[in-house]
Amino acid sequence: MAAPLRFHEFLLRNAPYLSAGVLLTFLSSFGQTFFISVFAGPIQAEFGLSHAGWGAIYMVGTTASALVMVAAGGLSDVLRVRQLGAFVLCGLAAACVLMALNRNYWVLPLSVFALRFFGQGMSTHLAVVAMARWFVATRGRALSIAALGVSFGQALLPLIFVALMVRFDWRMLWLLSAAICLLGAPLLLRLLSQERTPRATSQDVSSTGMDNRHWSRVEVLRTPLFWLMVPSILGPAAFSTAFFFHQLHFATTKGWSLLELVAYFPFFTVMSVLSMLVAGWALDRWGAARLMPLYQLPMVAAFAIFATTASGIGMAAGFLAMALSVGAHAVLPSSFWAEAYGTRYIGAIKSLVMAVMVFGTAIGPGLTGALIDLGIDFDAQGYGIAVYFLLTTLCIWVGVRGARQRLNPRAA
């Protein structure tokens, strides 16, 4: 048996593939809630929207993107990432242009749909599926490295664009976003000029799931494990999205400016990156099944803290706790689906999971926005959100406990 690669050897040998993953997740930032919410104030003012109105539009566009993801996500099982990825990045650029030029209220849901589908949906999906399929023994490291892209985006882009908004019209900044996405397409083609095909990869280095076989998407839907995991897919997507979506409102309730709040984002990113890397190392050592029942517990602490404190130290503690879960969430679930159901149909399976997650990002802002309009501020909602994550942890524990005997020995 060959000796395991050292970390720097792993990076050098797989640099093009890992860089492609980082590029896709970084550019997905332009369709992520933490970026779109930076423009919440100008958009609401431009179109005369309340918190609930903007949240409802966001929910409609995001829900539509989740539905389309179910069908489109399976394309990653039959098309090369370089081909599909370049098309997706061009689509994301077009979505940014549409947001910049839109002057009609009825086009706003379409703009949100395009940003969410090509950005958060397909760009992230392609990166995760590629890492899960191309890497087996080092899957944890590959997923954690690829996820660094969105972490960098979360740390840098809100801070940069909030500062730019002081001097430039918000529509011009969406055109700048489109230009950046367009530049990413030829770079992706360059990085994956010698890309392995999905079919070849899935046949040559595929790994099986429960009962030592590969599961189709229809079969996955018939297993209790999937449905027990659904609340844990929805939760982080719904409520971390809601937190960033309502960041302006949240800052106001704490007596802070938006710039004071987003100044914590780099700290949050550093902590989530460290959590990601540790989770990737732990995943390769112990497997996702052993770690899954633990990783959402810090979310309980995070939202309880957000509900009770307005101090700088308290806010830092809340961001730290949320970062621990967010970092682990970027790595563990993606690997768990491969461990549980195999990698041959991972694109179709992951598109289903991604659709559930994107739907979570739709209902989170809409639900919390409606509660805000009813007079329940987002920080006060933190108590209920903390209880929700306690329940998701219980569901994960029950589901994984029932599946572990059917997993491969390494994964169990």
Side-chain angles (χ1 to χ4, degrees):
M1 180 181 294
L5 291 176
R6 295 180 180 179
F7 188 66
H8 71 278
E9 294 173 332
F10 170 76
L11 291 177
L12 290 174
R13 182 171 297 186
N14 299 285
Y17 305 112
L18 297 173
S19 298
V22 171
L23 177 66
L24 284 168
T25 57
F26 175 76
L27 293 178
S28 78
S29 299
F30 296 106
Q32 299 277 4
T33 299
F34 65 78
F35 182 78
I36 298 173
S37 61
V38 167
F39 300 89
I43 289 173
Q44 288 179 247
E46 178 87 14
F47 296 98
L49 298 170
S50 66
H51 290 296
W54 171 227
I57 288 174
Y58 200 79
M59 180 171 64
V60 169
T62 303
T63 301
S65 73
L67 295 175
V68 177
M69 271 297 302
V70 176
L75 293 173
S76 59
D77 286 329
V78 295
L79 296 176
R80 293 172 181 254
V81 174
R82 70 188 304 266
Q83 297 168 331
L84 191 54
F87 173 78
V88 165
L89 293 182
C90 290
L92 182 55
C96 293
V97 172
L98 181 61
M99 181 62 85
L101 301 182
N102 175 36
R103 301 282 179 177
N104 298 308
Y105 172 86
W106 62 270
V107 179
L108 199 53
L110 180 60
S111 301
V112 173
F113 161 78
L115 287 169
R116 303 294 278 159
F117 174 71
F118 289 110
Q120 186 212 20
M122 287 301 293
S123 295
T124 303
H125 173 70
L126 287 176
V128 169
V129 167
M131 297 305 107
R133 176 172 287 132
W134 291 343
F135 301 90
V136 179
T138 55
R139 184 180 292 139
R141 275 183 281 180
L143 285 167
S144 63
I145 291 168
L148 290 175
V150 73
S151 297
F152 293 149
Q154 193 166 36
L156 300 174
L157 294 178
L159 201 57
I160 292 171
F161 277 76
V162 166
L164 288 174
M165 208 179 299
V166 175
R167 299 191 60 185
F168 298 97
D169 181 73
W170 66 276
R171 295 180 182 276
M172 292 297 297
L173 298 182
W174 277 111
L175 292 177
L176 173 62
S177 303
I180 295 171
C181 293
L182 282 178
L183 290 174
L187 179 56
L188 182 71
L189 292 173
R190 175 73 175 177
L191 288 170
L192 298 181
S193 58
Q194 297 182 0
E195 181 195 3
R196 293 165 287 184
T197 64
R199 288 192 183 278
T201 304
S202 62
Q203 291 171 358
D204 295 341
V205 297
S206 62
S207 58
T208 56
M210 293 186 296
D211 304 329
N212 196 33
R213 69 185 185 89
H214 296 280
W215 295 69
S216 71
R217 185 162 64 182
V218 172
E219 292 171 329
V220 167
L221 287 170
R222 295 171 181 165
T223 61
L225 173 61
F226 175 79
W227 295 106
L228 283 166
M229 296 294 289
V230 164
S232 69
I233 304 169
L234 286 170
F239 296 116
S240 63
T241 296
F243 177 85
F244 290 107
F245 185 82
H246 295 300
Q247 59 186 267
L248 178 59
H249 162 80
F250 181 74
T252 302
T253 61
K254 297 300 184 182
W256 291 24
S257 71
L258 180 59
L259 192 56
E260 286 175 322
L261 182 65
V262 300
Y264 278 82
F265 286 8
F267 168 76
F268 169 79
T269 299
V270 170
M271 293 299 103
S272 63
V273 166
L274 291 176
S275 174
M276 244 188 304
L277 295 175
V278 171
W281 169 82
L283 192 158
D284 290 338
R285 186 175 178 87
W286 292 298
R290 289 186 175 92
L291 302 173
M292 286 291 290
L294 304 174
Y295 87 96
Q296 290 196 358
L297 286 174
M299 279 292 201
V300 178
F303 281 96
I305 292 170
F306 289 144
T308 56
T309 185
S311 69
I313 294 176
M315 199 64 63
F319 272 111
L320 172 61
M322 188 162 68
L324 294 176
S325 279
V326 168
H329 184 71
V331 178
L332 296 181
S334 297
S335 183
F336 178 75
W337 299 115
E339 289 183 8
Y341 297 116
T343 57
R344 184 167 298 165
Y345 308 108
I346 192 64
I349 295 169
K350 194 66 178 65
S351 69
L352 180 65
V353 175
M354 181 65 72
V356 175
M357 186 198 75
V358 173
F359 180 67
T361 66
I363 62 175
L367 174 62
T368 54
L371 291 174
I372 290 170
D373 281 3
L374 289 173
I376 305 173
D377 288 338
F378 184 79
D379 57 347
Q381 297 176 37
Y383 295 111
I385 296 171
V387 171
Y388 178 90
F389 281 111
L390 281 175
L391 296 177
T392 64
T393 297
L394 177 61
C395 289
I396 294 172
W397 181 80
V398 172
V400 172
R401 184 171 182 265
R404 283 185 64 173
Q405 292 183 344
R406 303 170 63 188
L407 294 172
N408 288 331
R410 178 188 172 278

